[in-house]
PDB file of all heavy atoms in Angstrom:
ATOM      1  N   PHE Q 197      -4.902  -4.941 -38.950  1.00 84.00           N
ATOM      2  CA  PHE Q 197      -4.244  -5.989 -38.195  1.00 84.00           C
ATOM      3  C   PHE Q 197      -3.960  -5.558 -36.763  1.00 84.00           C
ATOM      4  O   PHE Q 197      -3.654  -4.395 -36.492  1.00 84.00           O
ATOM      5  CB  PHE Q 197      -2.922  -6.396 -38.871  1.00 84.00           C
ATOM      6  CG  PHE Q 197      -3.109  -6.852 -40.293  1.00 84.00           C
ATOM      7  CD1 PHE Q 197      -2.849  -6.001 -41.346  1.00 84.00           C
ATOM      8  CD2 PHE Q 197      -3.568  -8.138 -40.569  1.00 84.00           C
ATOM      9  CE1 PHE Q 197      -3.029  -6.408 -42.657  1.00 84.00           C
ATOM     10  CE2 PHE Q 197      -3.761  -8.554 -41.875  1.00 84.00           C
ATOM     11  CZ  PHE Q 197      -3.493  -7.683 -42.924  1.00 84.00           C
ATOM     12  N   ALA Q 203       3.608 -13.020 -23.408  1.00 55.00           N
ATOM     13  CA  ALA Q 203       4.714 -13.348 -22.526  1.00 55.00           C
ATOM     14  C   ALA Q 203       5.329 -14.703 -22.873  1.00 55.00           C
ATOM     15  O   ALA Q 203       6.521 -14.916 -22.674  1.00 55.00           O
ATOM     16  CB  ALA Q 203       4.243 -13.353 -21.067  1.00 55.00           C
ATOM     17  N   VAL Q 225       7.334 -17.149 -32.715  1.00 64.00           N
ATOM     18  CA  VAL Q 225       7.896 -17.421 -31.392  1.00 64.00           C
ATOM     19  C   VAL Q 225       9.403 -17.382 -31.527  1.00 64.00           C
ATOM     20  O   VAL Q 225       9.985 -18.175 -32.252  1.00 64.00           O
ATOM     21  CB  VAL Q 225       7.451 -18.791 -30.839  1.00 64.00           C
ATOM     22  CG1 VAL Q 225       8.092 -19.043 -29.491  1.00 64.00           C
ATOM     23  CG2 VAL Q 225       5.932 -18.837 -30.728  1.00 64.00           C
ATOM     24  N   GLU Q 226      10.033 -16.427 -30.856  1.00 54.00           N
ATOM     25  CA  GLU Q 226      11.474 -16.270 -30.973  1.00 54.00           C
ATOM     26  C   GLU Q 226      12.191 -17.306 -30.120  1.00 54.00           C
ATOM     27  O   GLU Q 226      11.769 -17.654 -29.041  1.00 54.00           O
ATOM     28  CB  GLU Q 226      11.884 -14.871 -30.549  1.00 54.00           C
ATOM     29  CG  GLU Q 226      11.284 -13.814 -31.447  1.00 54.00           C
ATOM     30  CD  GLU Q 226      11.594 -12.432 -30.974  1.00 54.00           C
ATOM     31  OE1 GLU Q 226      11.203 -12.116 -29.848  1.00 54.00           O
ATOM     32  OE2 GLU Q 226      12.214 -11.682 -31.725  1.00 54.00           O
ATOM     33  N   VAL Q 232      14.571 -21.021 -24.806  1.00 27.00           N
ATOM     34  CA  VAL Q 232      13.203 -20.532 -24.796  1.00 27.00           C
ATOM     35  C   VAL Q 232      13.217 -19.013 -24.626  1.00 27.00           C
ATOM     36  O   VAL Q 232      13.026 -18.483 -23.544  1.00 27.00           O
ATOM     37  CB  VAL Q 232      12.383 -21.212 -23.687  1.00 27.00           C
ATOM     38  CG1 VAL Q 232      10.916 -20.792 -23.800  1.00 27.00           C
ATOM     39  CG2 VAL Q 232      12.492 -22.717 -23.801  1.00 27.00           C
ATOM     40  N   GLN Q 268      11.920 -13.142 -38.326  1.00 70.00           N
ATOM     41  CA  GLN Q 268      13.089 -12.519 -37.708  1.00 70.00           C
ATOM     42  C   GLN Q 268      14.086 -12.159 -38.792  1.00 70.00           C
ATOM     43  O   GLN Q 268      14.381 -12.960 -39.685  1.00 70.00           O
ATOM     44  CB  GLN Q 268      13.737 -13.482 -36.724  1.00 70.00           C
ATOM     45  CG  GLN Q 268      12.859 -13.851 -35.545  1.00 70.00           C
ATOM     46  CD  GLN Q 268      13.423 -15.016 -34.747  1.00 70.00           C
ATOM     47  OE1 GLN Q 268      14.498 -15.510 -35.044  1.00 70.00           O
ATOM     48  NE2 GLN Q 268      12.688 -15.455 -33.744  1.00 70.00           N
ATOM     49  N   ILE Q 283      13.266  -0.662 -23.999  1.00 83.00           N
ATOM     50  CA  ILE Q 283      13.955  -0.249 -25.209  1.00 83.00           C
ATOM     51  C   ILE Q 283      13.457   1.131 -25.618  1.00 83.00           C
ATOM     52  O   ILE Q 283      12.265   1.412 -25.536  1.00 83.00           O
ATOM     53  CB  ILE Q 283      13.690  -1.219 -26.384  1.00 83.00           C
ATOM     54  CG1 ILE Q 283      14.095  -2.644 -26.031  1.00 83.00           C
ATOM     55  CG2 ILE Q 283      14.436  -0.775 -27.638  1.00 83.00           C
ATOM     56  CD1 ILE Q 283      13.672  -3.650 -27.109  1.00 83.00           C
ATOM     57  N   CYS Q 343      15.386   8.584  -2.175  1.00 71.00           N
ATOM     58  CA  CYS Q 343      14.600   9.259  -3.202  1.00 71.00           C
ATOM     59  C   CYS Q 343      15.022   8.737  -4.574  1.00 71.00           C
ATOM     60  O   CYS Q 343      16.210   8.634  -4.863  1.00 71.00           O
ATOM     61  CB  CYS Q 343      14.830  10.771  -3.143  1.00 71.00           C
ATOM     62  SG  CYS Q 343      14.062  11.576  -1.719  1.00 71.00           S
TER      63      CYS Q 343
END
Side-chain angles (χ1 to χ4, degrees):
F197 303 100
V225 178
E226 297 175 300
V232 186
Q268 296 168 3
I283 303 173
C343 288

